[in-house]
Amino acid sequence: NDGACAPIIVAVPSRDWETVFDATPPHRQSDLVWIGNGLLSQSRQRTATIVIPHFGVLEVGADPITSPESPPTYVFGKHATAMAAVLTKRGVLTVSGVKSWTDICQLAARKLLWASCLWLLCHDTNGADDSPLTVKEVHERKQEELDRLVKELLPAFRAMTATSGTDSGVSATTLECEDEILAYMKAYSLSMPEAICSKDLAMVELHDRNGVWFAGDQLFHRELLERVAGCEAVA
């Protein structure tokens, strides 16, 4: 590719997205490729490329961890075709193109909901050595807690994805139905069963992750945040 229009891959905490955008020359902002957990900005990311990853990378330089049962990794925007080729070459099994901005925003919100719930339950441990749980162990040992947390966050999630009408193969029902969301979460988790959500990254992204959904009447969400992140997290 001509370096003047080549994709610029951005894989940083969502807290830093605005900084990266502002530091990018205006004529190159449409070449940014955003990969990560976060809600999308119409003003900053609408003309760029979005990747909603459904794979895990357990250490720097390692190949992606995924399985045929994983939800697709979704790509949208200017460099979607190029990114799909890169991801497929690196071993991501299913990559699906998305044409609608509304769709990719809804899919990003659903992925963020997974990230918001699973890190808390991975690190809400009472074991002798306080070892965090893998995502598979969360579903095996804490499914009731996950069900409770998802139920509590669903009103905020539904408000975020209120504009329906999808053409990505993910229906509005799938995006809003509690059972379907829980099935999605489990499928993603079991596609990389040994993964442990990073507490360090979650703490950096806390405002743009759990803070997106948080409301005063979410008693269980508050309890988990205070226990795992500290009381100052909900101050």
Side-chain angles (χ1 to χ4, degrees):
N1 286 333
D2 180 352
C5 61
I8 304 170
I9 296 175
V10 182
V12 300
S14 56
R15 180 191 67 179
D16 299 324
W17 284 2
E18 185 173 340
T19 300
V20 171
F21 182 88
D22 290 341
T24 304
H27 72 282
R28 294 285 273 138
Q29 289 170 350
S30 66
D31 291 310
L32 294 170
V33 178
W34 302 94
I35 306 176
N37 302 312
L39 297 181
L40 305 178
S41 165
Q42 170 82 16
S43 63
R44 295 177 181 272
Q45 294 165 311
R46 176 67 179 82
T47 61
T49 302
I50 311 298
V51 177
I52 308 299
H54 286 112
F55 55 84
V57 179
L58 302 189
E59 59 184 49
V60 176
D63 289 333
I65 304 298
T66 186
S67 81
E69 290 73 36
S70 174
T73 286
Y74 295 99
V75 293
F76 165 90
K78 179 178 178 179
H79 294 297
T81 300
M83 289 306 303
V86 169
L87 292 165
T88 301
K89 185 176 181 180
R90 289 302 304 270
V92 178
L93 299 178
T94 307
V95 182
S96 180
V98 177
K99 301 297 185 183
S100 161
W101 172 251
T102 297
D103 286 7
I104 201 68
C105 288
Q106 292 175 333
L107 293 164
R110 186 180 66 167
K111 171 66 188 299
L112 184 62
L113 189 66
W114 178 92
S116 301
C117 294
L118 266 293
W119 88 271
L120 281 174
L121 294 174
C122 280
H123 294 279
D124 181 37
T125 57
N126 297 308
D129 59 358
D130 289 325
S131 297
L133 301 178
T134 66
V135 290
K136 179 182 179 182
E137 288 171 334
V138 168
H139 290 276
E140 291 174 343
R141 304 183 191 180
K142 291 178 169 280
Q143 188 63 51
E144 289 186 5
E145 289 98 321
L146 179 58
D147 293 352
R148 182 180 174 189
L149 183 57
V150 168
K151 184 185 291 291
E152 200 168 76
L153 299 186
L154 264 182
F157 175 81
R158 286 177 174 144
M160 195 74 65
T161 59
T163 52
S164 301
T166 67
D167 55 20
S168 61
V170 179
S171 68
T173 300
T174 299
L175 285 168
E176 296 188 4
C177 171
E178 181 178 343
D179 289 344
E180 294 289 350
I181 287 174
L182 288 167
Y184 153 79
M185 288 184 168
K186 188 171 186 178
Y188 182 35
S189 295
L190 296 187
S191 73
M192 46 177 194
E194 301 307 311
I196 298 172
C197 297
S198 168
K199 182 176 179 178
D200 289 342
L201 177 60
M203 292 297 292
V204 168
E205 295 186 335
L206 193 62
H207 175 78
D208 301 304
R209 193 182 290 202
N210 295 78
V212 166
W213 319 113
F214 185 74
D217 60 349
Q218 296 170 353
L219 299 183
F220 187 51
H221 190 198
R222 175 186 289 273
E223 177 185 332
L224 285 171
L225 284 169
E226 289 180 346
R227 197 155 62 222
V228 179
C231 293
E232 63 277 8
V234 292

